[in-house]
Amino acid sequence: SGLPGVAVGFELKLVLVGLFRVCEVIARVVSLGLFQLAVRNEPIPGLEEYYPDGLGNKGSAFVILFDFIMLVSMIFYWQGMRRGNYKNIAYAFPSVVSFMNPMLLSENAFTVPAWAYYSLRVVELAGMGAVAWKLECFHPGKGHRDFHDGHPGNNLHEVAGFLREFDNDTVLLYAAAGCTALMLVLVLLIRCVLVSNVLLKDEVMFESHAFSETEDFLCEKLLDVGRNEGYGGKALADCSDFHDFAEKKIKSACRHVAFAIREFQKKQKNRALLSQASFFTQSTTKVSTSRFDVVEKWREEQLELREIKEQEKASTAERLLDLVHVAYNLHHFLKGGQTTHQAHKSERGSDKFLFDKNRSQTHVARQYVVVLTLINECLQKEGGDPACRGLLEDENRCLELLRIMPDWEQVEVGEGELKITEKTELAMQLFEGRCQLVANVMRAGWARGRAFRNVAYQFHKAFAAKPEKDAKKLVPDIENSSVDPYDWVMRLQMMALTDMFDSIPRDMRATTEQINKLSAPRAHRGFELFRPEVELQALIDGAELVMKSRKFDVEAKFQYDSATAHSSDSNPTKAANKALHAILGSFKEDLMLKPSFEQKAHVQKALGILLSEGEFLRLTTVAIKANSDEPETQHAPTSKHDLRGYFPTVDEGNKKSKDQMPFELDLQYAEITFTFSPVKEVEPRSFTVNNRQVWRVHDTTMLRLLRSLDETTMMCLQPTQDIQVSFHNFREEIQEQAKDAINAQLKQLKETRETTVQPATCQCLEKFRGMDKQRTVKVDEIKSYKNTHYKKLEIYEDTIQGYRDFLDDSLKSRFQWSAPVLSHITDAETKVTTDLKQLRKDINAFWAEKEGKVTGEAKRQQLAAQEAEKRAKQEQEKAKQKELDAMNAQERAEKMRKEAEQERDAAKQKMEDAQREANEAQERAEEATREADKKRLEAEQLRKEARAREKKAFEQEAASTRKLETIQKEKAELQKDAKALSKVKEDLEKANQEKKKFEDAYKKAEADLKAAIAEKKRLEEQLKERAAE
């Protein structure tokens, strides 16, 4: 291009510019010297009283002074009055000698336009020549010097005087004339033929630094469609080319940042896999047996070095800095019409940077949203790169972001706009990016402490919070709409103001005096950050809308009709599948709608809703209508798996390509209605994660507001009475909802206790209770059910401990501002502890009763044996009596005696057997009781240690699961890389084989050549012999 800083190697343009500069300086210096020589002793008509002997050695000084005054006036007009850049007046003094603007730059960068400067030069040269011609009079006096001798006849005028005056200065005269003529020729050639615009040539300058005021003016001038349309021709063509270049530059910077974000997230998850990745690569690489091992090793080292350099280039912070510079330098293009220079105010107004207002404004706004989204993604506190936030330690970076931040003009929708168009949605997304950008900058900037105070004031001033009455002038309030621009803007503004206040360091709002200074005007040495009538009122207005929206469900519809489908894709059904895939992929396992930053815009457009940070939506029902003539089917999913099951899926074996969606809409018509319920601060019920119950508290907008502005802080900010009442009502409502949620959690724990561990109602003992009613339960059966029951008790105790940790770690920290909620949390902790102790007593009493019942049965059997022995004795006595009565029948009595003795022996044996069985049963019962007591004591002793180890193991298991998933993904990628590397090595081996073949052929050819040479020598010797003969 020939432009300095852009040209590489030899450039004829630069040679011509160098020659022109030499001629310009020589002509200027020599002309001043010759003018002074011509008028040094000549009296000036009308000034003889002041300068009787002429100007003397002050002739050139008067010319320089006149030139300096003219240049100051001209620079004051072009740089000061038209641009507001009065600092460039300093270039007036060096401009006396030469033109201070770049000669090859078509625009006026620092001083005045080239045509004005060199017109002044030509006029000055003509004037200097005319004055010298008029005043020149040579006085041949003493020593042939120009000395007035009082004799008019001795004086020489005009040509004769010039020739005599400069008889020994002909070289200077020729040099001045030649350089002046060559300068005029070169200036016409350069300025008419060779000039160009550096902004169209130098692509690196847009991301290398932030533009100065001069560069910003040139960029704005080149982008100004209204101005260049008036010029037409090349100016309009350059404007169009620069618009295309600006769009490509912004897209390129956005792609680089998006790639860097993905790489950073991947590195965060896979830092531990670097050594495994290198081992895996080595294990899958075959060792080459080529003799060029040294070359191959060098090649691999070079590839590794190149990969390391590419990774360093792709760092998130560097890419973000490039994007910030590009967006800062092209902010006129992104904002599409706002200008800071008075010279560029045109009749086109707000669309002065747009070729086609209807098409270009939407297209540029979409790019603007992407830029803000990527910047906010890099600067966010959770999941962002700390190096990106470290960039904000430089105050200049913060001020660059301040210029990038959208203004209220980008959000203005207009009164009476009752239909949500794409332009309206983009305007609201721009406002969301604006709020997130301010919040992110404040969080990172206030980490510098008081040094950030002035920048914070500039951001607060630029943010320009608007209460309800002012906001409605810019954004309409549409009733009965799922996307209300007014509600959206006020809620986002409230979240941003909350983050802006919460990010202020505690040491700057620790006392009443410091808090009062936050709202005091700067004239009273205050910060003027949170004024009651502006920022606080806007906070309360937004909080009212948030509290109102929490009471209603949100409906979002995804509609597709092939008969009326309009899509830029060739296949509208495929586009609908992609949109549905993005929607379903945005749901978490607990059916919370949380799309990624890349999918957020697609999900919002497909569902017709807007999602903001600090507001949480959970899916409650989904209604699917597959035909316009059929009724819709209602579903109430409980997990993400259930939700996906409602849609037709494609089997893995039937997939045509890896890019095919896991589900497809093969229907001609589809209407899917998603119903969401707003999620409040405390979840009333727990969720099961890895077979464990977990409780959640969400950092909602209202919770952040109340946590940042407690009651004492709010009173110190001197709010109005209405603000105080509204703020108090919000606090009370949030506190009551939190207490109700805690009560619901306690109720759920009670239901869990009754169904899992309460002896009288738990499901694990249902069969045992039935057996106990029908018969006597054996000791082994009691032991088995008892062990199962105590395992359930351990699980329930872990659940209670998890709930206690939730109350202590999560809930208390977020409700430190609320004494009633903290008191309720303490009561809940006391209640669960008391209930657990009572549960343990009930379980111990239950099993003691059942074991005692078995022991009582053994005693009953012993008493039955004793009763049998007593009856045997009575029978024996009766036998003796009969023997006495029948003495005369001795044989019969003897027989009866023997029978009685046999019966006695049999009864005795039965009694002994019963006694032995009873003793054994009692011993077994006592042994079982002792063993159970021992295990219970051991379990009680180890429970605390086991709970800690299990908690740690659970965390390790979750981390291991995440690492395993990441390893598997990386392993797949490394396998692909290994396959590619193997293919490269196979190609290398083939090349080596070809080389070997070539070497063999070369050796063979060399051998043939040697044989030919030998044959040639032999023939020569034969010829010599024949010649000799």
Side-chain angles (χ1 to χ4, degrees), residues 106-123:
S106 60
E107 301 296 335
N108 173 26
F110 304 106
T111 55
V112 298
W115 64 267
Y117 181 84
Y118 288 106
S119 297
L120 177 64
R121 281 285 168 267
V122 172
V123 171

PDB file of all heavy atoms in Angstrom, residues 106-123:
ATOM      1  N   SER A 106      -5.253  10.064   2.783  1.00  0.00           N
ATOM      2  CA  SER A 106      -6.193  10.930   2.074  1.00  0.00           C
ATOM      3  C   SER A 106      -6.909  11.896   3.003  1.00  0.00           C
ATOM      4  O   SER A 106      -7.388  12.934   2.561  1.00  0.00           O
ATOM      5  CB  SER A 106      -7.228  10.073   1.322  1.00  0.00           C
ATOM      6  OG  SER A 106      -7.946   9.256   2.238  1.00  0.00           O
ATOM      7  N   GLU A 107      -7.007  11.565   4.293  1.00  0.00           N
ATOM      8  CA  GLU A 107      -7.771  12.385   5.226  1.00  0.00           C
ATOM      9  C   GLU A 107      -6.850  13.344   5.984  1.00  0.00           C
ATOM     10  O   GLU A 107      -5.638  13.155   6.060  1.00  0.00           O
ATOM     11  CB  GLU A 107      -8.533  11.493   6.216  1.00  0.00           C
ATOM     12  CG  GLU A 107      -9.491  10.522   5.567  1.00  0.00           C
ATOM     13  CD  GLU A 107     -10.611  11.220   4.832  1.00  0.00           C
ATOM     14  OE1 GLU A 107     -10.921  12.369   5.184  1.00  0.00           O
ATOM     15  OE2 GLU A 107     -11.177  10.626   3.905  1.00  0.00           O
ATOM     16  N   ASN A 108      -7.480  14.371   6.552  1.00  0.00           N
ATOM     17  CA  ASN A 108      -6.765  15.332   7.388  1.00  0.00           C
ATOM     18  C   ASN A 108      -6.660  14.773   8.796  1.00  0.00           C
ATOM     19  O   ASN A 108      -7.643  14.741   9.530  1.00  0.00           O
ATOM     20  CB  ASN A 108      -7.504  16.670   7.387  1.00  0.00           C
ATOM     21  CG  ASN A 108      -6.909  17.644   8.378  1.00  0.00           C
ATOM     22  OD1 ASN A 108      -5.738  17.573   8.718  1.00  0.00           O
ATOM     23  ND2 ASN A 108      -7.737  18.570   8.844  1.00  0.00           N
ATOM     24  N   ALA A 109      -5.471  14.334   9.201  1.00  0.00           N
ATOM     25  CA  ALA A 109      -5.330  13.635  10.473  1.00  0.00           C
ATOM     26  C   ALA A 109      -5.033  14.580  11.632  1.00  0.00           C
ATOM     27  O   ALA A 109      -5.693  14.514  12.672  1.00  0.00           O
ATOM     28  CB  ALA A 109      -4.221  12.586  10.366  1.00  0.00           C
ATOM     29  N   PHE A 110      -4.046  15.510  11.482  1.00  0.00           N
ATOM     30  CA  PHE A 110      -3.550  16.250  12.636  1.00  0.00           C
ATOM     31  C   PHE A 110      -3.678  17.770  12.516  1.00  0.00           C
ATOM     32  O   PHE A 110      -3.816  18.449  13.524  1.00  0.00           O
ATOM     33  CB  PHE A 110      -2.068  15.912  12.878  1.00  0.00           C
ATOM     34  CG  PHE A 110      -1.808  14.446  13.045  1.00  0.00           C
ATOM     35  CD1 PHE A 110      -1.214  13.718  12.039  1.00  0.00           C
ATOM     36  CD2 PHE A 110      -2.176  13.794  14.207  1.00  0.00           C
ATOM     37  CE1 PHE A 110      -0.979  12.363  12.186  1.00  0.00           C
ATOM     38  CE2 PHE A 110      -1.943  12.448  14.362  1.00  0.00           C
ATOM     39  CZ  PHE A 110      -1.353  11.713  13.355  1.00  0.00           C
ATOM     40  N   THR A 111      -3.608  18.305  11.307  1.00  0.00           N
ATOM     41  CA  THR A 111      -3.560  19.766  11.200  1.00  0.00           C
ATOM     42  C   THR A 111      -4.671  20.281  10.295  1.00  0.00           C
ATOM     43  O   THR A 111      -5.800  20.439  10.732  1.00  0.00           O
ATOM     44  CB  THR A 111      -2.173  20.200  10.673  1.00  0.00           C
ATOM     45  OG1 THR A 111      -1.892  19.515   9.433  1.00  0.00           O
ATOM     46  CG2 THR A 111      -1.076  19.871  11.683  1.00  0.00           C
ATOM     47  N   VAL A 112      -4.322  20.558   9.034  1.00  0.00           N
ATOM     48  CA  VAL A 112      -5.290  21.111   8.089  1.00  0.00           C
ATOM     49  C   VAL A 112      -5.244  20.267   6.818  1.00  0.00           C
ATOM     50  O   VAL A 112      -4.289  19.519   6.588  1.00  0.00           O
ATOM     51  CB  VAL A 112      -4.967  22.590   7.762  1.00  0.00           C
ATOM     52  CG1 VAL A 112      -5.044  23.437   9.006  1.00  0.00           C
ATOM     53  CG2 VAL A 112      -3.588  22.710   7.113  1.00  0.00           C
ATOM     54  N   PRO A 113      -6.248  20.360   5.961  1.00  0.00           N
ATOM     55  CA  PRO A 113      -6.205  19.611   4.701  1.00  0.00           C
ATOM     56  C   PRO A 113      -5.010  20.015   3.854  1.00  0.00           C
ATOM     57  O   PRO A 113      -4.520  21.162   3.908  1.00  0.00           O
ATOM     58  CB  PRO A 113      -7.532  19.975   4.033  1.00  0.00           C
ATOM     59  CG  PRO A 113      -8.417  20.410   5.150  1.00  0.00           C
ATOM     60  CD  PRO A 113      -7.542  21.053   6.154  1.00  0.00           C
ATOM     61  N   ALA A 114      -4.543  19.105   3.027  1.00  0.00           N
ATOM     62  CA  ALA A 114      -3.364  19.351   2.203  1.00  0.00           C
ATOM     63  C   ALA A 114      -3.601  20.501   1.230  1.00  0.00           C
ATOM     64  O   ALA A 114      -2.709  21.343   1.003  1.00  0.00           O
ATOM     65  CB  ALA A 114      -2.976  18.084   1.442  1.00  0.00           C
ATOM     66  N   TRP A 115      -4.806  20.559   0.656  1.00  0.00           N
ATOM     67  CA  TRP A 115      -5.065  21.632  -0.301  1.00  0.00           C
ATOM     68  C   TRP A 115      -4.994  23.002   0.358  1.00  0.00           C
ATOM     69  O   TRP A 115      -4.504  23.974  -0.232  1.00  0.00           O
ATOM     70  CB  TRP A 115      -6.425  21.430  -0.968  1.00  0.00           C
ATOM     71  CG  TRP A 115      -7.600  21.512  -0.012  1.00  0.00           C
ATOM     72  CD1 TRP A 115      -8.201  20.489   0.633  1.00  0.00           C
ATOM     73  CD2 TRP A 115      -8.288  22.707   0.396  1.00  0.00           C
ATOM     74  NE1 TRP A 115      -9.220  20.936   1.439  1.00  0.00           N
ATOM     75  CE2 TRP A 115      -9.301  22.304   1.307  1.00  0.00           C
ATOM     76  CE3 TRP A 115      -8.144  24.054   0.094  1.00  0.00           C
ATOM     77  CZ2 TRP A 115     -10.160  23.216   1.906  1.00  0.00           C
ATOM     78  CZ3 TRP A 115      -9.004  24.969   0.687  1.00  0.00           C
ATOM     79  CH2 TRP A 115     -10.004  24.540   1.585  1.00  0.00           C
ATOM     80  N   ALA A 116      -5.458  23.105   1.605  1.00  0.00           N
ATOM     81  CA  ALA A 116      -5.408  24.388   2.305  1.00  0.00           C
ATOM     82  C   ALA A 116      -3.969  24.757   2.660  1.00  0.00           C
ATOM     83  O   ALA A 116      -3.550  25.927   2.527  1.00  0.00           O
ATOM     84  CB  ALA A 116      -6.266  24.332   3.560  1.00  0.00           C
ATOM     85  N   TYR A 117      -3.192  23.773   3.109  1.00  0.00           N
ATOM     86  CA  TYR A 117      -1.817  24.048   3.514  1.00  0.00           C
ATOM     87  C   TYR A 117      -0.976  24.515   2.328  1.00  0.00           C
ATOM     88  O   TYR A 117      -0.267  25.542   2.398  1.00  0.00           O
ATOM     89  CB  TYR A 117      -1.210  22.803   4.151  1.00  0.00           C
ATOM     90  CG  TYR A 117       0.205  22.979   4.637  1.00  0.00           C
ATOM     91  CD1 TYR A 117       0.469  23.531   5.885  1.00  0.00           C
ATOM     92  CD2 TYR A 117       1.283  22.613   3.834  1.00  0.00           C
ATOM     93  CE1 TYR A 117       1.774  23.693   6.330  1.00  0.00           C
ATOM     94  CE2 TYR A 117       2.582  22.782   4.265  1.00  0.00           C
ATOM     95  CZ  TYR A 117       2.836  23.318   5.522  1.00  0.00           C
ATOM     96  OH  TYR A 117       4.133  23.488   5.943  1.00  0.00           O
ATOM     97  N   TYR A 118      -1.032  23.784   1.228  1.00  0.00           N
ATOM     98  CA  TYR A 118      -0.173  24.131   0.108  1.00  0.00           C
ATOM     99  C   TYR A 118      -0.728  25.323  -0.676  1.00  0.00           C
ATOM    100  O   TYR A 118       0.027  26.012  -1.382  1.00  0.00           O
ATOM    101  CB  TYR A 118       0.032  22.916  -0.793  1.00  0.00           C
ATOM    102  CG  TYR A 118       0.932  21.902  -0.126  1.00  0.00           C
ATOM    103  CD1 TYR A 118       0.423  20.729   0.403  1.00  0.00           C
ATOM    104  CD2 TYR A 118       2.300  22.155   0.007  1.00  0.00           C
ATOM    105  CE1 TYR A 118       1.252  19.822   1.045  1.00  0.00           C
ATOM    106  CE2 TYR A 118       3.126  21.250   0.651  1.00  0.00           C
ATOM    107  CZ  TYR A 118       2.607  20.090   1.168  1.00  0.00           C
ATOM    108  OH  TYR A 118       3.420  19.198   1.806  1.00  0.00           O
ATOM    109  N   SER A 119      -2.000  25.592  -0.565  1.00  0.00           N
ATOM    110  CA  SER A 119      -2.522  26.858  -1.106  1.00  0.00           C
ATOM    111  C   SER A 119      -1.918  28.032  -0.343  1.00  0.00           C
ATOM    112  O   SER A 119      -1.528  29.059  -0.944  1.00  0.00           O
ATOM    113  CB  SER A 119      -4.046  26.880  -1.001  1.00  0.00           C
ATOM    114  OG  SER A 119      -4.611  25.861  -1.785  1.00  0.00           O
ATOM    115  N   LEU A 120      -1.840  27.875   1.000  1.00  0.00           N
ATOM    116  CA  LEU A 120      -1.189  28.912   1.803  1.00  0.00           C
ATOM    117  C   LEU A 120       0.279  29.053   1.414  1.00  0.00           C
ATOM    118  O   LEU A 120       0.808  30.177   1.326  1.00  0.00           O
ATOM    119  CB  LEU A 120      -1.319  28.575   3.283  1.00  0.00           C
ATOM    120  CG  LEU A 120      -0.623  29.528   4.264  1.00  0.00           C
ATOM    121  CD1 LEU A 120      -1.243  30.929   4.190  1.00  0.00           C
ATOM    122  CD2 LEU A 120      -0.718  28.981   5.693  1.00  0.00           C
ATOM    123  N   ARG A 121       0.955  27.945   1.157  1.00  0.00           N
ATOM    124  CA  ARG A 121       2.359  27.992   0.761  1.00  0.00           C
ATOM    125  C   ARG A 121       2.532  28.760  -0.572  1.00  0.00           C
ATOM    126  O   ARG A 121       3.419  29.606  -0.717  1.00  0.00           O
ATOM    127  CB  ARG A 121       2.904  26.578   0.602  1.00  0.00           C
ATOM    128  CG  ARG A 121       3.254  25.900   1.887  1.00  0.00           C
ATOM    129  CD  ARG A 121       4.564  26.478   2.446  1.00  0.00           C
ATOM    130  NE  ARG A 121       4.744  26.019   3.817  1.00  0.00           N
ATOM    131  CZ  ARG A 121       4.349  26.689   4.885  1.00  0.00           C
ATOM    132  NH1 ARG A 121       3.740  27.856   4.727  1.00  0.00           N
ATOM    133  NH2 ARG A 121       4.555  26.224   6.096  1.00  0.00           N
ATOM    134  N   VAL A 122       1.702  28.447  -1.540  1.00  0.00           N
ATOM    135  CA  VAL A 122       1.796  29.125  -2.841  1.00  0.00           C
ATOM    136  C   VAL A 122       1.532  30.610  -2.687  1.00  0.00           C
ATOM    137  O   VAL A 122       2.243  31.468  -3.261  1.00  0.00           O
ATOM    138  CB  VAL A 122       0.826  28.483  -3.852  1.00  0.00           C
ATOM    139  CG1 VAL A 122       0.774  29.314  -5.138  1.00  0.00           C
ATOM    140  CG2 VAL A 122       1.230  27.057  -4.154  1.00  0.00           C
ATOM    141  N   VAL A 123       0.510  30.977  -1.895  1.00  0.00           N
ATOM    142  CA  VAL A 123       0.202  32.392  -1.675  1.00  0.00           C
ATOM    143  C   VAL A 123       1.367  33.081  -0.985  1.00  0.00           C
ATOM    144  O   VAL A 123       1.748  34.228  -1.326  1.00  0.00           O
ATOM    145  CB  VAL A 123      -1.093  32.525  -0.856  1.00  0.00           C
ATOM    146  CG1 VAL A 123      -1.314  33.981  -0.433  1.00  0.00           C
ATOM    147  CG2 VAL A 123      -2.280  32.032  -1.666  1.00  0.00           C
TER     148      VAL A 123
END
